[in-house]
Amino acid sequence: MKFETGSLRYDGNGLIPAIAQDAATGDVLMMAWMNEEAVTRTLETRRVTYWSRSRQAFWVKGETSGHVQELVDFRVDCDRDCLLVTVHQTGPACHTNRRSCFFTAVRGGEEVEIMTPML
């Protein structure tokens, strides 16, 4: 069956959440948003492209930072309302210079930083 970007279930703003996972380690790196055009660009270029809600513009991961996400696999969840992109990540995925955006754990009712910046 041919994949159609329009078959995805975008929210009222035309966006769908996309979770980035390291293809080698399985670590969850980040979550960001894509619109239909970002999905198309990601699949065509193999460079993960998101939609920046704050800038209202396309965001090719690593375009300015050099922390590129090269697409390995593109998956759609069972409800077609969330994406999983497995990637080869160059450098940190998080804007805080950490490998992952998920660097805070809640343990025993306290927030604990479990990952320090890479740079």
Side-chain angles (χ1 to χ4, degrees), residues 19-89:
I19 299 165
Q21 180 182 38
D22 187 290
T25 66
D27 292 342
V28 175
L29 301 174
M30 58 178 282
M31 190 289 284
W33 298 93
M34 290 185 176
N35 62 13
E36 191 169 356
E37 180 64 23
V39 170
T40 299
R41 290 180 183 200
T42 296
L43 292 170
E44 287 177 354
T45 66
R46 311 300 290 179
R47 293 277 308 275
V48 181
T49 302
Y50 299 105
W51 178 256
S52 170
R53 295 178 301 166
S54 60
R55 293 182 303 222
Q56 292 291 294
F58 291 104
W59 163 35
V60 180
K61 184 67 175 166
E63 193 169 54
T64 56
S65 68
H67 304 153
V68 175
Q69 288 181 346
E70 178 187 342
L71 184 67
V72 174
D73 198 19
F74 186 95
R75 298 181 188 184
V76 179
D77 83 330
C78 58
D79 295 322
R80 304 188 75 76
D81 63 356
C82 188
L83 305 173
L84 175 66
V85 291
T86 58
V87 301
H88 287 303
Q89 175 71 45

Side-chain angles (χ1 to χ4, degrees), residues 3-17 34-37 39-40 80-81 83:
F3 173 70
E4 300 289 339
T5 57
S7 72
L8 297 174
R9 294 180 51 206
Y10 302 93
D11 70 10
N13 295 315
L15 301 174
I16 189 168
M34 290 185 176
N35 62 13
E36 191 169 356
E37 180 64 23
V39 170
T40 299
R80 304 188 75 76
D81 63 356
L83 305 173

